Amino acid sequence: MREAKDGPPNRELYALLHLSPEASDEEIRKAYRQWAQVYHPDKYQAPHMKEIATENFQRICEAYEILSDENKRLIYDIYGMEGLTSGLELGPKLNKVEELKEELERLRQRKEQEKALAHFRPSGTILASLSLPQFLEGDGIMRGMAMSSEVQSQLSKNSILAFGGNLEVNDDSGGGAASVVLRHQLSSVSSIEFIASAGLRALASTVFKLILVSLLVFQIQLLLGIESSISVGWQKKDERMSAAGELKIGTSSFGASAHYTHRFSKKSHGRIQGRLGSTALELEVGGGRKISEFSTIRMLYSVGIQGIFWKFELHRAGQKLVVPILLSRHFSSFFATGAFIIPASVYFLLKKFILKPYYLKREKQKALENMEKTSAQVQEAKAAAQKAQQLLQNVANRKRNKQLEIGGLIITKAVYGARKALTKLGETGESSDELASQVLDVTLPLNFLVNDSGRLKLHEGVKKSGIMGFCDSCPGEPKQLYVEYTYGGNRYEVLVDDYEELFIPQEAHRI
């Protein structure tokens, strides 16, 4: 139903009628009348033109039928065409729009819950500590191991019951515990937890945890139990970075920590973290990469009073595998520098000469396979777009000549297609058959859409491939629209993403 898993909805019907998703009923009726005048079959005498007009007129009528019906439009806005064509079950007849909204929201939440349950995994961590000095002394490389797991159950909207446990083996000692946690959200800014545990080191303990204030960037926690503590923290997160810090004061210890994570791309990130306290002094740097939809790997380097470590992490869904490797118990500036530079250098060499070429080759192969799979669909869509442009040609040329007379807005070149293809065309200026197949000339339909005032607007949040005379020449690939135009004797150019608003002319586009 959506263009991408988390992307905006494919509102093709709005693009077809050249409307904003917030268009009023009157705007929808007006747009329908305008397009009907262009595509009505009775306007054409030639059989092939009448056939083209009939095909596109049916598309216009279908779009109008859905968007002019309040209930159908609501279903389309939420679920897209799939919601209309799959016979979405709405239960008993709903007479009020408010009732329909409530029912659709309930169905949406149920689908999300079913999807979450289908991918449900208990959260857990496996920690395998290795020691290089211990191995060199002949005592074996395994330093210790720990495992923890937790399963949550949603009791109500604000309450969660969790069952967990942990086991730990370190040298000649070990321990373990089972716990039950009741979490309750008191309000939008505070929550409370009751934790009861029983294990090998302590027969039983009860902990009371109260998050007094939990806002976007600030949090206070109070922990009451065998080792009571209070902590004050802050956090900040946006699309490219996240940062957090905490100051914790307990009955027998204190500590402070802070971390900063920067996302270089959708798949890779860098991280730096510091810890300072009565039992810790540590600096940790590293980075990670997303290797699949649910999996991320991370390598970290840390140096502190406990020694020099390499740490490898694998995160998959709610599971985490952590392997810290102790390199040295004693600090040496020479050894610490080498332990950081050597793996970093190896990584960048591997990335440049092996990993990056491999991923580029794999992405190219996937793109070729996708092109082969969708070849027939794309050819059909291009043929339909070219037919639609034929019907727009006379009006588009008339508008262009009128704008030419008054020195108004004239689209001299417009190309829509794969972002990578447009980038290569812009860099090299040369067009191969492969690049040409991924783009479409849309100069004519954009000239048609120029209004009498010499303005052109494509609405935000509407996929451009749905516009009359456009088509998706590369399904699954991110797309852009490149436009060159003249206005008042000056030249302009602009490049916009698929769902981005385009409003021209603008002085910022001037060459």
Side-chain angles (χ1 to χ4, degrees):
M1 297 177 202
R2 290 179 178 266
E3 167 71 0
K5 186 170 182 178
D6 299 316
N10 184 351
R11 291 172 170 169
E12 186 174 296
L13 299 185
Y14 291 100
L16 195 63
L17 296 180
H18 193 49
L19 290 168
S20 164
E22 288 76 38
S24 65
D25 293 342
E26 180 57 35
E27 289 172 328
I28 293 172
R29 284 192 292 270
K30 183 179 178 181
Y32 169 71
R33 287 195 296 267
Q34 290 175 341
W35 284 104
Q37 289 177 4
V38 176
Y39 286 106
H40 200 287
D42 293 345
K43 292 178 63 67
Y44 303 92
Q45 300 299 323
H48 74 284
M49 295 297 286
K50 186 180 287 289
E51 182 181 345
I52 295 172
T54 301
E55 180 182 334
N56 286 281
F57 184 67
Q58 289 173 350
R59 294 174 62 198
I60 295 296
C61 291
E62 181 186 22
Y64 176 69
E65 180 188 354
I66 292 171
L67 297 184
S68 61
D69 185 299
E70 196 170 18
N71 291 352
K72 288 182 179 180
R73 182 181 179 183
L74 189 58
I75 295 174
Y76 176 75
D77 285 346
I78 298 174
Y79 293 102
M81 285 302 296
E82 188 178 339
L84 294 167
T85 58
S86 62
L88 183 66
E89 295 181 4
L90 296 176
K93 185 177 180 181
L94 303 170
N95 297 318
K96 296 182 180 179
V97 175
E98 291 75 16
E99 293 177 354
L100 178 59
K101 288 181 179 179
E102 291 176 3
E103 181 70 7
L104 288 172
E105 179 63 21
R106 185 185 66 80
L107 288 171
R108 185 186 66 80
Q109 290 179 357
R110 188 177 70 184
K111 287 179 179 291
E112 288 180 353
Q113 290 173 358
E114 290 173 353
K115 185 177 179 181
L117 289 174
H119 295 287
F120 176 76
R121 297 290 186 276
S123 60
T125 300
I126 298 176
L127 176 69
S129 300
L130 308 181
S131 173
L132 186 59
Q134 186 175 296
F135 175 73
L136 295 175
E137 292 169 2
D139 294 332
I141 196 170
M142 184 62 71
R143 184 163 168 249
M145 195 163 185
M147 300 175 65
S148 65
S149 183
E150 183 180 89
V151 178
Q152 294 185 1
S153 176
Q154 190 85 33
L155 299 180
S156 65
K157 183 179 179 181
N158 297 321
S159 299
I160 295 175
L161 182 65
F163 300 91
N166 64 79
L167 293 171
E168 181 181 356
V169 177
N170 193 4
D171 295 328
D172 296 329
S173 62
S179 62
V180 179
V181 183
L182 176 62
R183 301 187 181 103
H184 182 71
Q185 192 75 28
L186 297 175
S187 68
S188 60
V189 297
S190 62
S191 63
I192 188 172
E193 291 184 9
F194 292 96
I195 308 171
S197 63
L200 300 178
R201 292 186 176 178
L203 292 178
S205 64
T206 302
V207 177
F208 167 77
K209 180 179 179 181
L210 174 63
I211 301 178
L212 299 174
V213 181
S214 179
L215 301 175
L216 183 61
V217 295
F218 184 71
Q219 186 179 80
I220 299 176
Q221 292 189 44
L222 175 64
L223 189 68
L224 301 178
I226 298 175
E227 295 185 1
S228 300
S229 67
I230 185 171
S231 61
V232 180
W234 63 271
Q235 59 182 348
K236 185 178 181 181
K237 187 175 182 180
D238 60 30
E239 189 175 332
R240 300 292 298 178
M241 58 80 70
S242 64
E246 183 183 57
L247 175 64
K248 184 176 181 179
I249 301 175
T251 53
S252 59
S253 64
F254 75 92
S257 64
H259 82 260
Y260 173 80
T261 301
H262 183 80
R263 291 169 180 80
F264 301 109
S265 66
K266 290 182 178 180
K267 292 186 176 181
S268 61
H269 66 273
R271 181 183 176 91
I272 182 170
Q273 179 167 302
R275 300 184 187 91
L276 173 66
S278 55
T279 60
L281 176 59
E282 183 181 57
L283 176 64
E284 188 174 83
V285 295
R289 184 175 181 84
K290 192 173 183 179
I291 57 176
S292 71
E293 186 177 356
F294 299 104
S295 302
T296 300
I297 57 173
R298 183 183 292 169
M299 180 178 177
L300 302 165
Y301 166 79
S302 67
V303 56
I305 59 175
Q306 294 185 349
I308 301 171
F309 289 84
W310 285 343
K311 186 187 294 183
F312 299 91
E313 297 182 2
L314 171 63
H315 300 246
R316 179 167 177 80
Q319 305 297 319
K320 182 164 62 173
L321 172 64
V322 183
V323 183
I325 303 175
L326 175 63
L327 302 177
S328 174
R329 298 187 184 94
H330 309 289
F331 178 79
S332 165
S333 58
F334 177 78
F335 187 84
T337 303
F340 174 74
I341 292 177
I342 292 174
S345 301
V346 171
Y347 168 74
F348 284 112
L349 288 172
L350 287 173
K351 180 181 178 181
K352 182 175 181 180
F353 295 106
I354 297 178
L355 298 178
K356 190 172 182 180
Y358 168 75
Y359 280 115
L360 289 175
K361 182 179 179 181
R362 192 175 72 169
E363 286 182 5
K364 187 175 182 180
Q365 182 64 32
K366 284 184 177 180
L368 290 173
E369 291 175 357
N370 184 56
M371 285 177 63
E372 292 177 1
K373 188 186 300 182
T374 60
S375 176
Q377 173 189 341
V378 169
Q379 292 302 319
E380 184 180 340
K382 282 188 173 182
Q386 290 169 359
K387 289 178 180 179
Q389 289 191 22
Q390 289 181 42
L391 298 182
L392 300 176
Q393 188 168 4
N394 290 336
V395 178
N397 289 338
R398 188 161 61 246
K399 286 188 174 184
R400 188 178 187 279
N401 292 333
K402 181 180 178 182
Q403 292 295 320
L404 189 61
E405 291 174 2
I406 62 176
L409 176 61
I410 300 172
I411 311 299
T412 56
K413 179 183 178 181
V415 183
Y416 172 72
R419 180 186 298 166
K420 292 180 181 178
L422 289 179
T423 300
K424 289 181 180 178
L425 287 170
E427 291 174 350
T428 63
E430 299 178 0
S431 177
S432 64
D433 291 340
E434 181 181 347
L435 292 179
S437 67
Q438 299 179 52
V439 298
L440 181 71
D441 189 322
V442 292
T443 308
L444 192 146
L446 287 190
N447 273 309
F448 175 87
L449 293 176
V450 174
N451 62 27
D452 295 336
S453 302
R455 299 289 185 270
L456 171 63
K457 181 178 181 179
L458 303 183
H459 301 286
E460 182 179 8
V462 178
K463 185 174 166 63
K464 294 177 177 58
S465 62
I467 299 172
M468 272 296 186
F470 282 58
C471 77
D472 190 344
S473 58
C474 42
E477 292 288 325
K479 286 164 280 290
Q480 289 182 321
L481 172 65
Y482 172 75
V483 182
E484 292 179 6
Y485 63 95
T486 60
Y487 183 76
N490 298 312
R491 294 177 62 243
Y492 302 80
E493 67 175 4
V494 60
L495 180 68
V496 292
D497 289 332
D498 206 5
Y499 290 90
E500 187 179 350
E501 180 186 70
L502 173 65
F503 182 76
I504 55 177
Q506 286 192 48
E507 190 61 29
H509 302 159
R510 188 170 177 176
I511 301 175

